[in-house]
């Protein structure tokens, strides 16, 4: 029951892959109980017992293959996206921003840590200001930025497009592009990369500076 309830939950909320592993652990426990029941039931039927053993072997091999592919994917993600991309954004902001500047973004961790600046992160994990803005009815990136007026924006290209469509004046008059961080060439040089779409999602960030700040 917990497995199906959790599976429904992670599909009902905005889907993100990092929510899945916890429920996959429950799925593994469910497989163990299912295979154990099959082994007990098949003890009286040699053909059925062989089928259950084959099924168990296939499940173990599939999970081992998935673990290996994911480990390689995460190694590439760490080296290129986190250390080569987001860490460098944080260091660049530390060198180019004022000590009291505030930064609006979604991916809080590396950029916030290495910049040392005040983060206005969405949905507000470390920012009571963003939480208050959302509770006041400002749901979109554009609405929150207009309300809080951060000094810097760190955005993925699709986030920029969404904000530009909703509030063109933000980029026409209020914010100017300061720097683009793009690690796609480094990812392209990795020939074998399972789940390539995951690191590519965070491969490009546009950094905008508020005009006059």
């Amino acid at each position: 029951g917990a497995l199906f309830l959790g599976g429904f939950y992670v599909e009902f909320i905005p889907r993100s892959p990092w929510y899945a592993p916890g429920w996959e652990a429950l799925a593994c426990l469910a497989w163990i109980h299912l295979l154990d029941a099959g082994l007990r039931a098949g003890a009286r039927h040699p053909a059925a017992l062989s089928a259950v053993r084959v099924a168990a072997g296939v499940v173990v091999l599939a999970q081992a293959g998935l673990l290996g592919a994911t480990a390689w994917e995460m190694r590439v993600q760490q080296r290129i996206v986190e250390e080569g991309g987001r860490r460098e954004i944080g260091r660049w902001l530390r060198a180019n921003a004022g000590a009291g500047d505030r930064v609006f973004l979604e991916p809080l961790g590396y950029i916030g840590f290495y910049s040392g600046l005040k983060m206005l992160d969405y949905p507000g994990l470390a920012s009571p200001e963003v939480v208050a803005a959302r509770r006041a009815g400002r749901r979109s990136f554009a609405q929150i930025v207009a309300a809080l007026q951060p000094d810097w924006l760190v955005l993925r290209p699709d986030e920029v497009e969404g904000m530009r469509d909703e509030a063109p004046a933000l980029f026409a008059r209020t914010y100017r592009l300061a720097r683009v961080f793009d690690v796609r060439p480094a990812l392209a040089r990795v020939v074998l990369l399972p789940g390539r779409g995951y690191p590519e999602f965070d491969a490009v960030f546009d950094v905008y500076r508020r005009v006059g700040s």
Side-chain angles (χ1 to χ4, degrees):
L3 171 61
F4 290 106
L5 181 61
F8 171 78
Y9 175 74
V10 298
E11 289 297 316
F12 180 76
I13 63 175
R15 186 183 300 170
S16 296
W18 43 85
Y19 295 141
W23 304 111
E24 290 174 357
L26 290 178
C28 289
L29 292 175
W31 269 111
I32 291 171
H33 285 288
L34 180 63
L35 292 171
D36 179 68
L39 288 172
R40 292 175 184 274
R44 297 184 297 272
H45 305 282
L49 184 61
S50 297
V52 173
R53 286 173 173 169
V54 170
V58 169
V59 170
V60 171
L61 288 175
Q63 289 299 313
L66 179 61
L67 176 62
T70 303
W72 174 247
E73 177 193 25
M74 290 296 99
R75 182 177 185 274
V76 172
Q77 168 85 11
Q78 178 66 34
R79 178 171 57 87
I80 295 178
V81 174
E82 309 298 356
E83 297 175 3
R86 290 196 267 216
R87 183 178 67 181
E88 295 309 306
I89 296 173
R91 288 175 170 174
W92 186 87
L93 284 170
R94 178 184 287 272
N96 290 274
D101 284 1
R102 301 176 304 154
V103 183
F104 176 83
L105 77 176
E106 182 275 327
L108 170 65
Y110 274 79
I111 298 171
F113 179 82
Y114 282 98
S115 70
L117 299 174
K118 167 64 178 178
M119 297 287 111
L120 300 174
D121 71 293
Y122 186 92
L125 298 178
S127 173
E129 299 93 331
V130 173
V131 174
R134 294 178 62 224
R135 287 177 175 171
R138 298 177 176 91
R139 301 293 183 179
S140 69
F141 278 23
Q143 291 171 343
I144 292 172
V145 167
L148 300 182
Q149 301 182 8
D151 303 285
W152 299 85
L153 311 176
V154 180
L155 303 167
R156 302 175 180 89
D158 62 322
E159 295 167 347
V160 174
E161 290 305 312
M163 293 177 64
R164 197 187 300 275
D165 290 342
E166 182 180 351
L170 281 177
F171 297 102
R173 296 191 296 268
T174 309
Y175 291 94
R176 293 287 183 269
L177 183 65
R179 177 79 184 269
V180 176
F181 289 83
D182 187 352
V183 298
R184 286 177 299 184
L187 286 175
R189 289 193 290 272
V190 182
V191 178
L192 179 62
L193 181 54
R196 184 176 293 272
Y198 183 85
E200 286 181 344
F201 179 72
D202 288 322
V204 184
F205 284 94
D206 298 333
V207 179
Y208 286 84
R209 185 170 193 168
R210 184 176 180 83
V211 175
S213 65

